[in-house]
Each structure stands twice: as C-alpha cells, then as structure tokens.
Amino acid sequence: MTTTPRWRALTQHHLFWPVAVLVFLLLINVPFTPDFFSIKMTDGHLYGSLVSIVLFGSPLILVAVGMTLVIATGGIDLSVGAVVAITGALTCSYISDQADQSALSAVLLAMGIGLVAAVVCGLWNGFLVARMGIQPIIATLIIMVAGRGVAQLITDGQIITINSEPYKLIGGGYWLTLPFSIFVVAAVVAVTVALTRRTALGLLVESVGGNAEASRLVGIRSRRIKIMVYVFCALCAGIAGLMISSNTSAADGNNAGLWIELDAILAVVIGGTSLLGGRFSIGGTVVGALVIQTLTTTIYTIGVPTQTNLVFKAAVVIVVCLLQSPKFRAKVFGAKFGSGSGAKGGGKPSATPADTAPTTAAAPKMEVS
Amino acid sequence: MAEPLPVLEMTGIVKEFPGVRALSGVDFRLFPGEIHALMGENGAGKSTLIKVLTGVYSLDGGTVTLDGKAVRIGSPLQAQQAGISTVYQEVNLCPNLSVAENIFIGREPTRAGRIQWKRMRKEAAELVDRLGLDIDVTAPLSSYPLAVQQLVAIVRSVGTGDSDGAGAGTKVLVLDEPTSSLDRDEVLELFRLMRQLRDEGVAILFVSHFLDQIYEICDRMTVLRNGALVGEHLVSELDQVGLIHLMIGKAMDQLEELHEHQLHADVGEALLHADGLGRTGGIAPFDLEIKKGEVVGLAGLLGSGRTELARLLFGADQPDSGKVTIGGKQVSMSAPNDAISAGVAFCSENRKTEGLVPDLTVRENIILALQAARGWTRPIPAAQRDELVAKYIKALDIRPANPEARVGQLSGGNQQKVLLARWLITQPKLLILDEPTRGIDVGAKAEIQKLVVSLSEEGMSVLYIAAELEEVLRLSHTIGVLRDRKLVAQIANGPEITPTRILETIASGEHQ
C-alpha cells in the first residue's frame, strides 16, 4: 500500500481511530437494517437510528465530558452515577409535591434544587481530593456508594413518577424538529470547549494533570482548579440526571445512571485522554461516548442475545483500546501507523527522539515507498 | 595498545525519527578490556546510539557485529542475552527487595519451580565479594545510599547471562551517566569497580558529562556531533581543549569570553532579607541579604542544604521560623504563589519532576508561569503570546525553534532553556537557579552562564547554585557557604577568593 503524507497526517490525528471505529460500527448496522442511515420526518419530528443514537447517548456524553476534565487533572470521579440519581430524585420529588406539576416556575425551581445538590456533591469530592489529599478513586467512592442511599431517602425508597409537560421537554421533548436533549448536549459541549480553550483553564488543567509538583512550583493554584473540575463534573452529571428522569418522567434512586461512571470513563479513554492525566480532548470524548452508544444500539439491531451482549461489548472495547495503542498499531500495521503522537490512550509514543539532532524536527518526513 | 579484534563493531549506523535523522552512518567499535568514552553535546546522538546498541530502538541502517558475528538486536532482552548490559543514571531496581534478590531478579536459581534462596544469597555474596564490594546481600536495597544501589545495578548486569559462572556472560557494559549524582568517594569506588571489570576483559562504554572523569578513567573515546562521527581517539592523545573543540565545533571563543568576564560592580540596594529563616530537618535558621543586580552563589557539598535554602526563599517548602522581606514588604512564604507575586522565580534542579510538563508543548511550558500569575480567566492573547514565545526561543536559542514541539522530546540543555524562558517572561526581581547547568553540554552551559551575567547587569538578582565551585566563583558577587545544613559563611568574591579557600571554609565550617 502506498501512503501519502496527507494520509499519514490523517491517521496520526488524535481523533482518527475513535472516528474510524465509530464509522465502522455504524456501517455494521447497514446489512441488518438497510435504512439505518435514513432519517424521516414524522409529525414535524425527525426520526431515525442516527437521531436515536445521539438522543439516547446524550446523558452519557454529558457525564463523559465532565469526567474528561477530572481525568485530565489525573483524578477520577466514580460518584457521577449517584449524582445522576440524587439530582433526578430531588427534582422529581419537588415537582411531585406541587399542585400544578406543569407550572414552569416550579419546574425551574426544582431543576435548580437538583443542580445545587449536584454542585454540593462536586464540592465535597473536590474538598476531599484537593484539600484533604484523599486519592480521587477513594474520595469519590464515598458518594458513589452513599449517594444511592441518599437518593433512596429522598424518594422514600419508591420510584417517584411525575406528569409535567415542561419537565418532559429536557429528556423527551422536541424543538426545531430535533430532540431537545441534543441541544442541551450541544450547549454543554460548546460551553465546555469555550471554558477550557478560550480561557487558560484547559492549559492549567493539563499542566496540573501532566506534572502536579511542577504546576505547584509554577504558581498554579491547583487545589482551586481541582475543586472546579469536580464541581463541573458533578454539574454535568446533574444535567444528565435531569435528562434521564425527564425522559422516563420518573426518579429511580436505585437504577438511574447505574454504572454510567464506567461507561463515561470508557468514553474518555476511547476519546484518547490518558487516565494518567495531562492532555485531554473534549471532541474525542464525545466521539467515545457515541461509540459506546452505537455499540449498544448495534447489539440490539444485529440481534446479539441479551445474555451475551456484555461479552460482545467487552470484545469491541478491547479492539478499540488496542487500536489506540501505538505499540499495537506498530506491531500489526507496521511503522506507518505505529509511530508519531497519534493517540495517547496507550501511553507514550514508542519512538521519541529524546537525544537527537533536533534541527529538522518540524519538517514532515516523506515516505520513500 | 595492540589492536586485538573488537568485541563490538557498529558500522554505518543510521537511525531516523519522523523528521529527524538522529544518526547518519555512525561507526563505533569497542575492544575487550577497555573503557571507552562516548562524547558529544546533548543532541549529538549519544543516547540514540546507546539505545540502538541496547535494543531500545531498532536501527534503520548499518550493521552490528559482536565477536565478529553479525547480530540483530531487537529488544533490550536480546541485548542482554547477547552479552550487552546497561546501567542507567536512574537505578532501575526494586528498593524494597534485598540486594541478592535484586541481583538475581528474573533469573533466580530454581529447583522444581521453587527459588533456591540459600543458593541465591550465597552466589550473590560471592559475586559481590569477588568484585571487592562490602555489601550485605540480605539487606534491603533501600537501606543503601544511591551510589551503592548503582554499584548493585552494575553487579547485577555483569552477573547477567548465566547464573553459574557469574560475569562470564557480559561482554559489553554500558554505563550511561552513572556518576552524575555521586560524590567524590563514591565515584572513586565506582571507578575501582570499573577498572576491575576492565581488567577481567569486559568492554565498558562510559558516558559522562564530567570531562575530568573521562580523562581519569577512559582509554579511548569516540566523539559524535549532530548525529555523525567526528572521530575516535586515544584519551592520552587528545587534550581537553581539543576534545571540547571537536564536540562543539566552533563555539570555543564563547567559553573563553566568559573566563575573562569581570563581575560588574554596580550592585544596587537590598532586595531581599531573610531573618532567621529556617526549617527543621531542612536548614538551620539563617540570615541572608540579596541586593538588586547581585549574583549570590551557594557553595557546599551535595546535601549541605543548598537546595533547601533556595526552596525556603521560594515558599516551595514552608519555613517554621523567621521571616522574609522582599522590596521592603514582608512576604508570608506559605506557598510558591506568595514568592512569585513578590517577584521571585525558581528553576528547580529536577527539571523533569519539578520543572517541565513533558506532555505540553514548548510554547505551553514557556507561558505557564505567566499564565498562572494571570489566573485562568485571563488568557494571554494569542498574538502577544506567540510573540513572547518566539522572542525567547530566539533569545535563548532553543532548538528545535518550534513552539509546537513537545518539551519532553527536547535535549536537556534545551529543556533547561525552556524553564529559564518560562521565568524570564514573568520578569522576576530575583531568579533562583538550582543547578541550572547540571547534565547539559558545554555549549549550553556557557550560554546559560553568560545569560546570568547579563541578567544581573540589567538589575536582576540571581541566587545561583552549582556543584562546581569554579562556576560559582566565576559568576557570584557574594558566596554563601553551606555545611551540614547550615549557612556557615558569606564571602564577598574577589581575586583572592579561590576554590581552595572555599573548600577550606566548607571543611572547617568557618571563614578565615
């Protein structure tokens, strides 16, 4: 196979492999569902598999985007699933107490209460990690376990169902022919990108995650930054909680957002952000979350028996992770894809000229054959 | 020296990285029973050649023959099996295991799948004994200082090959910067061991930045420059000036210029006062004054408290006594932020762990301190940022001059310059440099020293820490002498102050 420099540059882009996997997964569906890519307009709403994937993947994208920043600081947040449950429980129980469940002001207040609770959870996580110096995995385990109990307390152990038109909009409604959730996700992603790349927050987060001690000595207030990302992550989880409870018009303290933290971590890793912290990619995470959601959809469309679908999922995840590893690519595809700083999921690029004549480092290398 | 057959011969070695030709047709040979120095500036290709030899990198061209037979070294394990062992600057052993376990890790003598502990300890003790070392092989490795751990690493590597005839397996021993953190006695012990191994017929490849050590221990040297072979010489036939000339090409006059440099006299008013500043377990309370435009050098042995003193002045460690006044205002020093906003900058001696963020680009590393001071809400405008970065890359001659390059891929000297640039763009009043020239090549060393001189001429105060006394003497107006974690003397520099005088002060603990 001949390769051109442009092709080479493309394969080394950090989003290449996640996007390739996503496209591949989408294509797999076509033989089973020939109209997989078609989108129909019914009753002024757009319907189709692609729309569904984004719609059902919305909560995961939200949680994973928040998780990306936490992971970039070298941390991890296991509590997001519980925060989803708490937010949903508080909001729904407040709405269910109202005489008029569709009153807009009451719904907005309920959502506010839910999100404040999420922020409090984030502050608690950030306090434990940044101030008390507890390892993130332990610190966030507390709310992961206890949070479900809190959600149960709020709902009295019941599943609270509500009937609120305005609240239904967030997770189940349509706007401008598209599910409203998609707009919420787009807004959150846009805000996150602006917050991290338009300000210096992204750089400081990557610095703290890349080398914590150097960041301290350079004067970065890393505690403040860590608290911020945990709060932001919890806030994203809170919005996802609103979305999930809105979609079902119910708050289930036990099952809402169950195991979403693991899918979110997976999405971040598939997106090319290293669990060691440092460089992060919001775009990669969004693609990663879509990969996971597409996988779930694919499992249903190609008819994998439900009892084996976790195995199927695991197999795909392994393949994705292997493709992300520069070492693996070098072994299987040869040096064409192996070297360079394409994906970071698998660690450092295998060939880094640490002590080489650096005069021409920026010049692209031409392929001989 | 008669010329027997070389044990190792590398011919026309080529190694390429994307966009960089790190080695272009380098020849290298190594004879049994010699200590051979590999010389060159940072970035000349020394490390790359070693990594090709030890199987870390695969080669893109050329041949390697070992004992006259062509070999392909595909991995570090294959290199070891072929009889090429490597000991790196950082000790890659398990501190929590015993010395014997470390020596035999991965090739423990076993019977029926079970480790023969007794035999392992006995063989380890014999090996250590034969090499003339006084080490208890049952003690945990961590109970020994770094220098001894390094010796253990060497013992381990010469023991590699077969577990019966220790030492018989290793033909080539590569020592990459083994002495950079050792003191004089420890270096002598290492050299003794190296000579013994040499006399036993092992070919030793030695890399060090200390020229004196090269001339003390090596028989022959190979000089590289910009990834190409410059020459192979007997050490006895090439003097230090000639060697430096070969290594850096034409930058010789730079060094000489610095030697003749006179310290400027117009030192201003007091900038910083430390009164009884101290920290238990770090450094005893000390008083220190640094004037505007003054270079204060700190002299003392490794571990005498030089770094600890500097860290207190930066708030990197919190003092438990005393106070600091900068520009007339008392500064709390509870965190680096306090010092930074008072105009203090600090380049740590540990570039990798306390300085750079290796995953970030040169540009990002350079603006980090300024950005941290501005806070996250006020990013430096892109145009201004790029201009600043370009200016300092040019002024400090950072190579490659590519702001997008990942800083982890730069050579040591260029990384040091990135750190300097990071602090210089914050325009500090006091710049603390802890071993800024450690592990970097002669050319970059001279540039950094020149920079210190010109910064102080412009009115910046500098606290300068270096292991080499000559370096401190050459640059400093005042020399603080440390001993046993105490600032024992502060000496005004002058023609009568010599390294010997400083050494006497360190030895006696007082200034005569």
Side-chain angles (χ1 to χ4, degrees), chain A residues 14-357:
Chain A
H14 70 275
L15 284 183
F16 177 79
W17 290 104
V19 169
V21 170
L22 180 59
V23 170
F24 177 73
L25 276 178
L26 289 170
L27 290 176
I28 279 187
N29 284 280
V30 176
F32 298 92
T33 319
D35 59 346
F36 187 77
F37 284 102
S38 72
I39 293 174
K40 292 190 205 84
M41 178 79 93
T42 315
D43 298 340
H45 299 163
L46 289 174
Y47 287 100
S49 302
L50 293 182
V51 178
S52 313
I53 286 171
V54 182
L55 172 61
F56 294 128
S58 293
L60 178 59
I61 296 176
L62 288 178
V63 173
V65 163
M67 183 76 76
T68 307
L69 296 189
V70 170
I71 287 179
T73 63
I76 202 153
D77 189 348
L78 297 180
S79 72
V80 286
V83 172
V84 163
I86 291 175
T87 312
L90 263 180
T91 307
C92 288
S93 74
Y94 184 84
I95 292 176
S96 71
D97 287 345
Q98 303 300 310
D100 176 10
Q101 294 196 359
S102 292
L104 188 61
S105 60
V107 168
L108 286 177
L109 183 60
M111 285 164 52
I113 292 170
L115 292 179
V116 165
V119 167
V120 169
C121 290
L123 278 171
W124 170 254
N125 286 335
F127 169 77
L128 290 184
V129 172
R131 288 274 158 189
M132 298 290 108
I134 299 176
Q135 285 175 354
I137 199 165
I138 301 299
T140 58
L141 198 61
I142 296 169
I143 292 187
M144 177 186 177
V145 176
R148 296 255 165 223
V150 172
Q152 295 279 327
L153 275 179
I154 295 167
T155 62
D156 268 338
Q158 310 291 315
I159 294 177
I160 298 179
T161 52
I162 54 170
N163 182 15
S164 166
E165 266 317 304
Y167 190 59
K168 182 83 189 157
L169 176 70
I170 307 169
Y174 279 79
W175 190 53
L176 298 176
T177 76
L178 280 172
F180 189 75
S181 300
I182 294 178
F183 293 100
V184 175
V185 166
V188 169
V189 170
V191 165
T192 311
V193 170
L195 200 63
T196 51
R197 298 304 180 196
R198 288 279 163 169
T199 72
L201 188 62
L203 172 66
L204 300 188
V205 163
E206 286 174 338
S207 173
V208 168
N211 189 340
E213 179 60 8
S215 301
R216 186 179 81 91
L217 291 179
V218 89
I220 295 172
R221 294 167 199 274
S222 50
R223 287 177 180 173
R224 203 179 284 179
I225 291 199
K226 281 190 181 166
I227 292 176
M228 276 173 66
V229 297
Y230 280 96
V231 168
F232 183 77
C233 181
L235 187 62
C236 288
I239 300 173
L242 297 180
M243 210 176 261
I244 290 171
S245 61
S246 153
N247 187 268
T248 54
S249 286
D252 181 348
N254 247 341
N255 293 310
L258 195 61
W259 306 131
I260 199 170
E261 57 277 347
L262 300 185
D263 273 349
I265 293 167
L266 204 53
V268 172
V269 172
I270 291 174
T273 300
S274 164
L275 279 180
L276 297 174
R279 286 275 184 216
F280 68 89
S281 161
I282 298 289
T285 295
V286 172
V287 175
L290 288 175
V291 165
I292 292 175
Q293 189 57 46
T294 309
L295 185 56
T296 310
T297 308
T298 309
I299 286 170
Y300 291 122
T301 53
I302 69 176
V304 176
T306 38
Q307 59 269 38
T308 58
N309 69 15
L310 284 179
V311 178
F312 183 81
K313 196 169 173 181
V316 175
V317 167
I318 290 170
V319 170
V320 175
C321 291
L322 285 177
L323 282 177
Q324 287 274 37
S325 152
K327 252 189 186 163
F328 176 82
R329 294 206 305 265
K331 276 226 161 77
V332 175
F333 303 117
K336 278 195 291 297
F337 299 117
S339 61
S341 57
K344 301 164 200 92
K348 307 284 177 221
S350 51
T352 46
D355 193 2
T356 55

Side-chain angles (χ1 to χ4, degrees), chain A residues 8 12 195-204 206-222 224-225 228 274 277-279 339-341 344 347-366 368, chain B residues 16-22 41-48 51 57 226-227 311 314-318 336-337 340 346 348 352-361 364 367-369 371-372 375-377 379 399-400 402 406 408-411 414 422-423:
Chain A
R8 187 189 171 82
Q12 295 201 346
L195 200 63
T196 51
R197 298 304 180 196
R198 288 279 163 169
T199 72
L201 188 62
L203 172 66
L204 300 188
E206 286 174 338
S207 173
V208 168
N211 189 340
E213 179 60 8
S215 301
R216 186 179 81 91
L217 291 179
V218 89
I220 295 172
R221 294 167 199 274
S222 50
R224 203 179 284 179
I225 291 199
M228 276 173 66
S274 164
R279 286 275 184 216
S339 61
S341 57
K344 301 164 200 92
K348 307 284 177 221
S350 51
T352 46
D355 193 2
T356 55
T359 41
T360 57
K365 183 188 169 194
M366 300 296 291
V368 182
Chain B
E16 290 182 331
F17 296 109
V20 186
R21 189 162 236 225
E41 289 191 286
N42 288 338
K46 299 189 301 277
S47 297
T48 312
K51 284 180 177 162
Y57 294 157
N226 288 335
R311 287 176 68 91
F314 186 64
D317 295 324
Q318 278 67 61
N337 287 321
I340 292 168
F346 173 64
S348 164
K352 293 229 161 82
T353 53
E354 296 178 355
L356 300 164
V357 187
D359 266 353
L360 296 186
T361 62
E364 288 167 328
I367 64 164
L368 208 50
Q371 187 60 66
W376 67 272
T377 50
R399 281 186 253 174
N402 172 13
R406 269 190 30 200
Q409 299 186 344
L410 268 55
S411 67
N414 284 305
R422 170 192 288 175
W423 288 113

Side-chain angles (χ1 to χ4, degrees), chain B residues 87 121 149 202 231 256 300 319 323 386 389 393-394 441 448 451 454:
Chain B
V87 174
R121 279 194 289 272
Q149 297 188 17
V202 178
E256 278 153 20
K323 59 178 191 185
D386 292 346
V389 170
I393 286 180
K394 187 153 178 276
D441 64 72
I448 284 170
L451 184 72
S454 67

